[in-house]
């Protein structure tokens, strides 16, 4: 009679434990899981979006025309009715000048002949409406005939001047109306009024005059951002920017496309416009059912094992 060192029930339990540890392949189950890791990812599909390739350029506020107020006689300034920064209307009194002769002889002529009515006072009025940007003389100053007294910045000539690289001049055809963003975030609608007849030698940029409508006065030399649209498409196949991967030199681009629920393959692409976090996919043509990894895709190798998770 043969005797066994273990009872049958004990032997069966030991075999069950060994099977659970090693599995059918004879390797531990934990080692098999480590050998084939699954990277958690989220996926997206191709979408048709409106895309635009645009550029922001600086535009500086300026009064294109300035009027110089000058003395109309030799004499002394008796009255100054303006201050720097004041707004003046056309025809408004700005200066009163007493001629040199009247200052010298005083009321002598009027005493001799009361009908003469000689005062020697000259009045200088604004020739245009605008802001006093420069005030040169004050009360009591002696001035020559034709000497500059003040400068008026013509309100009607106010505009923004944008420096446009000459190679982008063709974009003006589709940007006759554009948006200016001021430093405080205010947005102004503008339209191109004219172009300057010269180009800057160093930067090769041309001045573009942009007229704007604003309820409040805007100071001169304020720098705004002008949005220029270079190319626009109303409907283009696109993916989120995070779905597109590239090499270090950014001359090769690809996406990780799922061929089943657990495998993603490296798919080279040719990209087009980029706008608002979207990238146009020129080739290949993806259909609406193709799933593209959008997160967790960085560093994945070709035919990587993945696991789809909800975003």
């Amino acid at each position: 009679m043969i005797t066994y060192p273990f009872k049958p029930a004990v032997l069966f339990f030991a075999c069950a434990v060994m099977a659970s540890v090693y599995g059918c392949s004879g390797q531990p189950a934990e080692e098999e899981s480590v050998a084939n890791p699954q990277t958690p990812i989220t996926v997206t599909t191709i979408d048709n979006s409106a895309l635009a390739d645009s550029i922001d350029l600086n535009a500086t506020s300026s009064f294109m025309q300035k009027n110089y107020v000058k003395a109309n006689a030799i004499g002394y300034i008796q009255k100054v009715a303006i201050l720097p920064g004041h707004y003046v209307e056309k025809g408004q009194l700005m200066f009163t000048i007493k001629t040199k002769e009247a200052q010298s002889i005083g009321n002598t002529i009027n005493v001799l002949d009361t009908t003469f009515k000689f005062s020697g006072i000259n009045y200088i009025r604004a020739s245009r409406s605008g802001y006093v940007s420069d005030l040169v003389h004050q009360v009591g100053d002696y001035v020559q005939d034709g000497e500059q007294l003040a400068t008026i910045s013509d309100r009607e000539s106010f505009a923004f001047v944008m420096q446009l690289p000459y190679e982008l001049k063709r974009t003006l055809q589709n940007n006759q109306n554009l948006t200016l963003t001021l430093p405080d975030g205010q947005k102004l609608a503008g339209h191109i009024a004219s172009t300057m007849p010269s180009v800057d030698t160093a930067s090769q940029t041309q001045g573009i005059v942009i007229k704007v409508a604003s309820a409040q006065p805007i100071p001169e030399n304020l720098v705004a951002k002008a949005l220029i649209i270079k190319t626009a498409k109303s409907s283009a196949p696109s993916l989120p920017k995070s779905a597109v991967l590239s090499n270090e030199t950014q001359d090769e681009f690809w996406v990780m496309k799922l061929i089943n629920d657990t495998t993603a393959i490296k798919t080279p692409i040719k990209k087009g416009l980029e706008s608002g976090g979207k990238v146009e996919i020129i080739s290949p043509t993806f259909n609406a059912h193709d799933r593209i990894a959008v997160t967790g895709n960085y560093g994945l190798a070709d035919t990587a094992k993945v696991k789809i998770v909800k975003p």
Side-chain angles (χ1 to χ4, degrees), residues 79-250:
K79 181 180 179 180
V80 178
I82 58 172
L83 288 173
H86 276 192
Y87 178 77
V88 295
E89 294 284 356
K90 181 179 180 180
Q92 181 178 331
L93 178 65
M94 298 181 66
F95 296 93
T96 300
I97 295 179
K98 190 172 184 178
T99 63
K100 177 183 178 181
E101 294 77 14
Q103 183 75 8
S104 299
I105 64 178
N107 264 346
T108 304
I109 296 179
N110 289 333
V111 171
L112 296 176
D113 186 356
T114 58
T115 63
F116 194 70
K117 305 297 183 182
F118 174 76
S119 66
I121 302 298
N122 288 353
Y123 300 100
I124 300 177
R125 302 181 182 275
S127 59
R128 300 281 294 186
S129 299
Y131 297 93
V132 179
S133 57
D134 189 21
L135 183 60
V136 182
H137 288 286
Q138 296 295 333
V139 174
D141 287 357
Y142 177 76
V143 294
Q144 297 287 339
D145 186 15
E147 187 173 345
Q148 181 178 332
L149 304 178
T151 304
I152 299 177
S153 297
D154 189 354
R155 181 182 64 176
E156 299 300 326
S157 69
F158 180 82
F160 281 85
V161 180
M162 175 183 67
Q163 297 302 324
L164 179 74
Y166 193 77
E167 63 268 21
L168 297 179
K169 187 176 180 180
R170 65 182 182 277
T171 62
L172 294 182
Q173 297 177 358
N174 300 322
N175 288 276
Q176 291 298 306
N177 297 306
L178 41 76
T179 300
L180 295 179
T181 304
L182 302 186
D184 63 354
Q186 180 184 0
K187 295 185 181 297
L188 298 176
H191 68 276
I192 295 177
S194 62
T195 58
M196 302 301 287
S198 61
V199 172
D200 182 78
T201 304
S203 63
Q204 289 296 288
T205 57
Q206 185 175 17
I208 309 298
V209 180
I210 303 171
K211 286 285 190 177
V212 297
S214 177
Q216 297 181 351
I218 299 174
E220 192 174 19
N221 298 322
L222 183 69
V223 178
K225 293 292 184 182
L227 180 65
I228 299 296
I229 298 176
K230 298 165 63 176
T231 308
K233 294 183 179 180
S234 59
S235 180
S238 60
L239 288 171
K241 192 173 183 179
S242 57
V244 178
L245 305 171
S246 69
N247 58 1
E248 293 182 355
T249 56
Q250 294 191 350

